[in-house]
Amino acid sequence: MNLAILYRGPLASCNYDCPYCPFAKRHDPPELLRADRAALDRFAGWVAATTDVRLSVLFTPWGEGLTRRWYRDAMVSLSHLPHVDRVVIQTNLAARVDWLADADPRAAALWTTYHPGQVDRDRFLRRCARLSELGVRYSVGVVGLPEHLAEARALRAALPAEVYLWVNAAEGRRYDATEEATWTELDPLFGWSVRPHVSLDRPCHAGETAISVRGDGTVRRCHFIDEPIGNLYDGSWRSALRPRPCGNAVCDCHIGYVHLKPLGLRDVFAGGVLERIPAAWPPPHRPVPIPAKPSPPVTPAVRRPVPVAAPARRPVPVAAPVRRPVALPTTGPRPA
């Protein structure tokens, strides 16, 4: 069995105050932080013990997780488990990333978001460069607001060609054909984000090979359907896994609609579903947009598609992680 788990604990605090985010600059009280740490420790223990299932984990905190040590520790420890194919977190990349030197880069990956106005672009790019040095897979994204366009273009020009830059349609915003074409120049897959997908009664991997887990272990089909289908810690989740049609009218968030079977996006992102990296990136001969100000040209490099199956890894004791060098070629509160 292969199972993707989207985990979200109580954590809701963030160090940024993006105007489009309801959780901006929220501060969690100490007791909530303690509860979040305890919940994550319990979850990591369950992952380590559940060796009869090949697991992939995406942490989708409402706030910023990597400023908390327990998320960094969980990423490192889980990356070394032989039955864990991927461990990924959504992050604004505000925290330093050198700790990833202790993780297995064949499993650890980041879904990063650049927030103009919250961080200096050069500082963000230095973090990206360090990820590349460490051989850690990562995607980079921006919210498709008009005031972000110039920064997004400059970011695309500065990033290595092999790094996928995704664009999320801003919540509640309608894009005309010209705007959609403009953002599609940066992200060829922007069309999937720009309009909601009809999902009612359509088959979905959610609840079958992907589940959403909350801090107390409650299992749901996905983040967007509240009905519980079991609990992680009493084993009831196992008998609950089965094909089901979606009960929502539409699905407009990437971490949801990527699992809709009719869309076929699991094939598009094969090998990189959780970190949001297309299977073959960059497309051959695709030019990388250059910002208005002069800058060195960026020539896309031809890269072999990422394999669907994770490379075989020798079992490594959890208590004493062993790093093995591997040559490898990245929502916010509103999960994108």
Side-chain angles (χ1 to χ4, degrees):
M1 180 191 299
N2 292 275
L3 184 66
I5 300 176
L6 279 66
Y7 175 88
R8 177 175 290 161
L11 184 76
S13 54
C14 186
N15 54 315
Y16 285 178
D17 59 354
C18 305
Y20 43 84
C21 175
F23 293 88
K25 286 292 186 183
R26 173 170 170 171
H27 295 281
D28 289 327
E31 58 271 21
L32 188 145
L33 293 177
R34 287 193 293 268
D36 185 72
R37 182 172 188 170
L40 182 58
D41 287 347
R42 186 185 187 191
F43 174 72
W46 177 90
V47 172
T50 307
T51 58
D52 64 323
V53 182
R54 294 208 65 80
L55 298 170
S56 296
V57 176
L58 170 61
F59 295 114
T60 63
W62 282 120
E64 174 55 40
L66 291 186
T67 56
R68 310 296 177 180
R69 181 171 181 175
W70 49 94
Y71 282 91
R72 302 194 298 268
D73 290 346
M75 290 279 295
V76 171
S77 63
L78 296 184
S79 75
H80 289 285
L81 297 175
H83 63 289
V84 172
D85 290 332
R86 277 289 188 278
V87 55
V88 185
I89 191 169
Q90 294 179 323
T91 175
N92 60 26
L93 214 56
R96 295 176 63 87
V97 297
D98 293 313
W99 56 274
L100 279 161
D102 293 327
D104 187 331
R106 289 170 294 189
L110 299 184
W111 163 322
T112 78
T113 305
Y114 173 54
H115 297 282
Q118 302 297 312
V119 62
D120 178 77
R121 185 188 345 128
D122 289 339
R123 181 180 180 183
F124 184 89
L125 286 168
R126 286 195 295 271
R127 294 278 162 82
C128 292
R130 182 60 177 141
L131 290 174
S132 297
E133 290 174 358
L134 293 170
V136 174
R137 287 167 54 83
Y138 65 101
S139 66
V140 175
V142 295
V143 177
L145 292 168
E147 58 268 30
H148 291 176
L149 181 58
E151 279 294 316
R153 284 172 168 164
L155 186 68
R156 174 65 278 176
L159 284 169
E162 64 268 19
V163 175
Y164 172 54
L165 175 71
W166 49 264
V167 178
N168 264 358
E171 189 167 3
R173 181 177 179 82
R174 296 179 64 88
Y175 293 78
D176 61 29
T178 300
E179 289 178 309
E180 182 175 345
T182 296
W183 288 107
T184 301
E185 289 177 1
L186 289 170
D187 176 9
L189 302 181
F190 178 64
W192 294 108
S193 176
V194 76
R195 58 190 59 84
H197 299 278
V198 175
S199 56
L200 185 62
D201 293 331
R202 296 194 173 186
C204 187
H205 292 285
E208 181 183 2
T209 58
I211 58 174
S212 168
V213 175
R214 297 193 179 178
D216 62 359
T218 298
V219 175
R220 290 170 168 77
R221 295 174 57 187
C222 74
H223 283 335
F224 312 106
I225 296 179
D226 285 335
E227 180 186 4
I229 62 172
N231 190 280
L232 205 65
Y233 303 125
D234 64 11
S236 57
W237 63 274
R238 291 180 180 269
S239 61
L241 299 182
R242 62 177 181 273
R244 295 177 177 85
C246 182
N248 289 344
V250 296
C251 188
D252 64 354
C253 184
H254 179 89
I255 60 174
Y257 64 70
V258 74
H259 300 296
L260 275 174
K261 293 181 181 182
L263 299 185
L265 287 178
R266 279 200 173 183
D267 293 330
V268 175
F269 290 90
V273 171
L274 297 189
E275 60 268 43
R276 198 170 179 173
I277 299 177
W281 183 264
H285 312 302
R286 176 178 177 268
V288 175
I290 303 298
K293 293 182 179 180
S295 63
V298 179
T299 303
V302 178
R303 177 187 173 199
R304 292 178 298 173
V306 178
V308 174
R313 309 205 314 276
R314 293 177 298 172
V316 179
V318 177
V322 177
R323 291 178 51 222
R324 296 176 298 282
V326 177
L328 294 179
T330 57
T331 75
R334 176 179 180 270

